[in-house]
């Protein structure tokens, strides 16, 4: 197989470099990249940590779709020539490595961080079988890999749009009885650049490796915002 | 400090369109129909008796309206997991209603 890998570093222009790899049984894109780095090209930069689909570090755009390199089997890809590119909408650091700072910035802009309520309300036992917990059961599984921000077409056009991950996180917090920032967050969510900017294209939901549906979270928040008017 | 380099999906490249999701197609089709409607309505107002313009107008109205209905249903709480089926349903219903209206129009 041939891997067409995006190469870029500050100071030199971007280019695409082709690497020929022998696809052995069970070999993933990450295995291939590691093999290239250890063998033919030690200058190739990419990010990974756990190698087993737990951490989300190796998120990249493989064959036009956001995927984790460690979970993408070469044998499952339809073409023998595979393009490997860094995530979209994040500043490049080098080659396939991107700066995830916008992810954090968008989270903060939406107040998508837990703010404990005052007094005893800050503590509550939220059982696994409670309705409160079931509503967010899927949404709290986000590990912040950034793939949904890369897939979202609205993120590309609006720098102030928080994006799927931040809005999904905001959804979990708005339903959290221990959180004390509901009113402030609701105001931010009603702004011109937040909930209304989502067009429910569900690209984020399609690529999420944790099978979360940020689209559901966003539409749910939107319904809550409308109902709050009455 | 120079501006950081940020990649965006290249809509003029084959790879940029590869793996485009159904939800994006639905959104794009509805927007394209809206833009086309502006032109076709203008043509229709100049001369409302041209069958070809009437047919295009009917088709675009059905497409735009039914895709809008799909968006409203999702907004109102239908599971997002159904969005592809709703897209297919909107397209199918648009074709069916077009045939029904057009046959009724010339009967």
């Amino acid at each position: 197989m041939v891997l067409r890998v995006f190469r870029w570093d500050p100071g030199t222009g971007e280019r695409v470099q082709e690497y020929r790899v022998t696809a052995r049984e069970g070999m993933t894109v990450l295995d291939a990249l590691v093999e290239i780095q250890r063998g033919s090209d030690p200058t190739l930069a990419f990010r990974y940590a756990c190698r087993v689909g737990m951490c989300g570090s190796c998120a990249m755009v493989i064959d036009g779709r956001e995927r984790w390199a460690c979970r993408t089997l070469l044998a499952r890809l339809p073409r023998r020539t595979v393009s490997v590119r860094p995530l979209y909408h994040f500043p490049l650091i080098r080659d396939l490595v991107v700066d995830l700072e916008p992810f954090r910035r968008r989270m903060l802009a939406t107040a998508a961080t837990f703010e404990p309520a005052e007094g005893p309300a800050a503590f509550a036992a939220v059982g696994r079988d409670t309705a409160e917990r079931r509503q967010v059961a899927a949404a709290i599984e986000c590990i912040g890999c950034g793939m949904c921000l890369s897939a979202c077409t609205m993120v590309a056009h609006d720098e102030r749009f928080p994006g799927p991950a931040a809005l999904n996180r905001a959804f979990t917090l708005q339903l959290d009885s221990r959180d004390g920032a509901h009113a402030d967050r609701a105001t931010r969510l009603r702004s011109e650049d937040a909930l209304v900017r989502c067009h429910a294209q569900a690209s984020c939901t399609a690529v999420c490796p944790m099978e979360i549906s940020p689209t559901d979270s966003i539409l749910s928040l939107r319904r809550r915002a409308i109902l709050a008017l009455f | 400090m120079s501006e950081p380099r940020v990649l965006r999906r290249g809509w003029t490249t084959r790879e940029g369109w590869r793996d485009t999701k159904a939800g994006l197609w639905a959104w794009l089709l509805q927007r394209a129909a809206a833009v086309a409607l502006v032109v076709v309505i203008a043509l229709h107002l100049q001369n409302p008796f041209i069958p070809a313009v009437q047919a295009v107008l009917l088709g675009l109205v059905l497409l735009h309206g039914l895709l809008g209905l799909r968006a409203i249903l999702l907004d109102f709480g239908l599971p997002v997991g159904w969005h592809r089926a709703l897209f297919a349903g909107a397209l199918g219903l648009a074709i069916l209603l077009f045939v029904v209206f057009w046959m009724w129009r010339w009967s």
Side-chain angles (χ1 to χ4, degrees), chain A residues 57-137:
Chain A
S57 307
C58 65
M60 49 189 78
V61 180
I62 298 164
D63 217 13
R65 183 191 177 96
E66 286 75 11
R67 309 173 208 249
W68 286 348
C70 69
R71 278 202 188 170
T72 307
L73 291 166
L74 288 172
R76 291 269 177 89
L77 293 167
R79 280 166 279 269
R80 296 297 84 193
T81 300
V82 179
S83 76
V84 183
R85 296 170 66 81
L87 292 179
Y88 295 112
H89 314 144
F90 290 100
L92 295 175
I93 294 175
R94 207 180 105 192
D95 297 345
L96 301 171
V97 183
V98 294
D99 182 359
L100 287 167
E101 168 58 21
F103 193 90
R104 194 187 70 93
R105 184 168 43 77
R106 288 170 197 265
M107 283 271 182
L108 292 175
T110 328
T113 50
F114 179 69
E115 296 293 338
E118 296 290 324
F123 302 93
V126 182
R128 280 188 305 179
D129 296 329
T130 58
E132 182 183 356
R133 175 66 170 72
R134 277 201 302 271
Q135 283 186 90
V136 296

